[in-house]
Amino acid sequence: MSFTVIIPARLASTRLPNKPLADLGGKPMIVRVAQRAAQSGAARVVVATDHADILVACEQHGITVHMTRSDHPSGTDRIAEVAAAMKLPDDAVIVNVQGDEPLIDPALISAAAALIDARVPIATAAHPIADVADVFNPNVVKVVLDKAGRALYFSRATIPWHRDAFVKTRETLPAGYQPLRHIGLYAYSNAFLQAYPRLAQSPLEQIEALEQLRVLWHGYPIAVHVTENAPAAGVDTPEDLARVRLHFGQEN
């Protein structure tokens, strides 16, 4: 399957200023992400940004980059603008890779893209949760699936709730109980991507602060690729940046 990766990148970050341009072994983070995404087999990899410094960094390393408006409320809106500017057909498959994921597994990108078809306009990924603390952590987003591997619901709460086992203990995972953690990677058909910015916010989305609940609330199915391995964490803090720099053989 042919697909396009679009990476939204903003320079502003409250916890890590200038994050997309942070040096990782001699290259800016956004360049590392794009080069990693290119290993997925994507037909093209494009960075979508509203800042000239990111434009220059990408061009210096041969990365295709599109400038966008600066007033987009989300990365999804930003990549929708770029896909429209590229005049991609309605059935084109586009994968949204976050600009702070320099260690993302390229196979995860292609697996999500492969789930898009005429019946399923959006796909994402998840992995089994092994740490019992994560099961009860509201910062770890959980997802439950139907028999076809499509999302029934996403939540910060513990879902599914093991009624009998959790009465007895919450120190260990019950036998046969396997909750899934959502991985924030999305693939879309271009037709859906262009329609998404016009969808009204849903009450569930506002309550949980989870944008993907808007999709379910409006009746669109979301396919979920389940990988056995937890992906490498992205870069949100100075501590994350230090960890990733070690991967690239860089001292801090």
Side-chain angles (χ1 to χ4, degrees), residues 85-122:
M86 294 172 67
K87 301 188 185 312
L88 297 177
D90 283 351
D91 62 353
V93 176
I94 298 158
V95 183
N96 179 353
V97 173
Q98 297 302 309
D100 57 5
E101 300 277 355
L103 302 180
I104 190 168
D105 181 0
L108 197 61
I109 298 172
S110 57
L115 294 177
I116 302 299
D117 59 29
R119 297 166 299 172
V120 180
I122 177 172

Side-chain angles (χ1 to χ4, degrees), residues 30-65:
I30 189 62
V31 171
R32 291 289 189 187
V33 175
Q35 291 176 337
R36 188 85 166 182
Q39 297 173 28
S40 68
R44 62 189 71 81
V45 176
V46 180
V47 171
T49 187
D50 62 354
H51 202 283
D53 288 352
I54 296 177
L55 172 75
V56 170
C58 289
E59 289 181 338
Q60 286 177 340
H61 291 84
I63 304 298
T64 302
V65 57

